[in-house]
Amino acid sequence: MAFLLFNFVLLLSGFRFSLALQETPLQNVSHSGQINSNSVLVALLDSHYTELAELVEKALLLQTLEETVGKRNITIFAPKNEALEQDLDPEFKRFLLEPGNLKSLQTLLLYHIVPKRIEPHSWPKSAADSTHHTTLSNDQVELSGQDSSGAKFIGRAKVINPNAVNRPDGVIHGIEQLLIPRSVQQDFNNRRSLRSISAVKPEGAPEVDPRTHRLKKPAPPVLPGAPPVLPIYDAMAPGPSLAPAPAPGPGGPRHHFNGMRQVKDFIQTLVQYGGYNEMADILVNLTSLATEMGRLVSEGYVLTVLAPNDEAMAKLTTDQLSEPGAPEQIIYYHVIPEYQTEESMYNAVRRFGKVSYDTLRLPHKVVAQEADGSVKFGHGEGSAYLFDPDIYIDGRISVQGIDGVLFPPEDQSKEEKKTIKVATVKPRRGK
Ligand SMILES: *[C@@H]1O[C@H](CO)[C@@H](O)[C@H](O)[C@H]1NC(C)=O
Ligand SMILES: *[C@@H]1O[C@H](CO)[C@@H](O)[C@H](O)[C@H]1NC(C)=O
Ligand SMILES: *[C@@H]1O[C@H](CO)[C@@H](O)[C@H](O)[C@H]1NC(C)=O
């Protein structure tokens, strides 16, 4: 057993390593070749087109663009910030920022860049003499003009700031709205059906021996929404445990499943999913917590983890995290001893209005209700939306991404000033 534990820690330290690796590529523009400080790319990152610049970084496109400007001039059509903020459909923006949709985000951004220099004086003067250009996304854009007003257009977007930036290797023209290539629009329209195909369908239900209160045989995955077989608190180390779980002695609990492996899998999935590194970090660092979860799953219990995303975690103050046992208490309040999927929770709140779920932080419950076509946990300021549904669902562990850190109601007055809510984009359920 000690060996198993040791192995587990080794595996986890492997994640720390890959976490660190994952974070490096964006930091430095000049890792391959050289980029001139007077490059149009450097200018873009320093410009007031901050929304576009941020997306280009998020989309991991800097290296590609760096290589392009090494070979030829480029023209960037830069939507004004508002076009990427309040003017943009929040659901579309959320779609673009989902790590699984990186390709769509890249296509969208590359659609705003033409691999040659287009100066304002060479712009078509009217709709009749419009010109077509192939963008870096391989789609065509049309430039046109209006001779009466002298206005310039790309597609339907008006050029509002021609030559906003002019550098030896390229030029930036400010435009009024985002350009959306057809393929990205289609990806967006198809998003729901893709998600439902990739979801794993859990089935079956575990059987308990009424005399021993133990599972009769390895439990098949339970239905979403099914109650746990036994009160999980019977199985939890007292506390909840804040110390490393003791290694079971000879004749200790029989392990039906490799719960450690499942916990490890979900942490890895969180890391790969992106945007949940803080949560993954805490689980990796606090091995006692992950060990306890693994042990419970090994014994046949099921868990739903409400994982706050990085933006939410970033709002936690050092005070909130530095009290002894505080991170554990926070995480335990985010673990529900039931197997729930987004669908089962959404159906429950739709049907019942408010639903309260037990948490591993006894005796506190977390309340959920339907809001804005999604599931909202908690009350008022300290509430969080189900933001990334079904990040991990294997029939025993379910991980649901949320956009806030939750606190029990009693703690809330205390926490109110350190507001935890970060939702800027309200998820909507597309049904
Ligand atoms: C960028 O990365 C390279 C190679 O890792 C390093 O030598 C260089 O100093 C870095 N430049 C900046 C501006 O950080
Ligand atoms: C970019 O355009 C300028 C001005 O037209 C030209 O002198 C320069 O050679 C071009 N750079 C590249 C890499 O083609
Ligand atoms: C996890 O541990 C690393 C290194 O010991 C530390 O830098 C990091 O802040 C810790 N993260 C959390 C969330 O405690």
Side-chain angles (χ1 to χ4, degrees), residues 16 278 281-282 285:
R16 280 218 57 76
E278 286 297 314
D281 232 1
I282 286 185
N285 283 10

Side-chain angles (χ1 to χ4, degrees), residues 5 41 94 118 138 185 196 206 267 288 308 361 374 394 396:
L5 206 85
L41 275 187
R94 181 170 163 244
I118 302 174
N138 270 326
Q185 185 66 54
S196 56
I267 296 173
S288 62
R361 182 165 172 187
S374 178
D394 69 2
R396 298 198 180 85

Side-chain angles (χ1 to χ4, degrees), residues 2 38 50 92 111 187 210 216 237 297 324 339 350 355 363 382-383 398:
N38 64 353
T50 51
F92 184 58
Y111 189 57
D187 294 346
K216 269 183 176 166
V297 173
Y339 183 72
R350 277 292 292 262
V355 176
S383 63
S398 154

Side-chain angles (χ1 to χ4, degrees), residues 68-74 117 119 167-170:
T68 307
V69 294
K71 289 183 236 138
R72 50 173 60 89
N73 280 263
I74 62 172
R117 174 179 286 266
E119 298 275 9
R167 291 287 183 278
D169 60 356

Side-chain angles (χ1 to χ4, degrees), residues 18 36 48 92 115 128 138 148 163 190 198 201 204 227 236 295 303-304 315 359 363 369 374 389 407 414 426:
S18 56
N36 289 319
H48 57 262
F92 184 58
N138 270 326
S148 53
N163 258 340
N190 293 338
S198 61
K201 293 225 171 53
M236 279 180 72
R295 191 175 63 76
L303 303 173
T304 297
K315 307 252 160 149
T359 70
Q369 57 191 301
S374 178
F407 288 93
K414 214 168 45 188
K426 291 205 172 116

Side-chain angles (χ1 to χ4, degrees), residues 169-188:
D169 60 356
V171 56
I172 300 178
H173 303 306
I175 61 175
E176 183 123 56
Q177 65 194 71
L178 186 69
L179 310 169
I180 302 174
R182 187 172 303 158
S183 65
V184 172
Q185 185 66 54
Q186 276 166 359
D187 294 346
F188 176 64

Side-chain angles (χ1 to χ4, degrees), residues 267-280:
I267 296 173
Q268 190 170 32
T269 304
L270 268 183
V271 170
Q272 282 165 354
Y273 193 87
Y276 293 87
N277 285 339
E278 286 297 314
M279 182 74 180

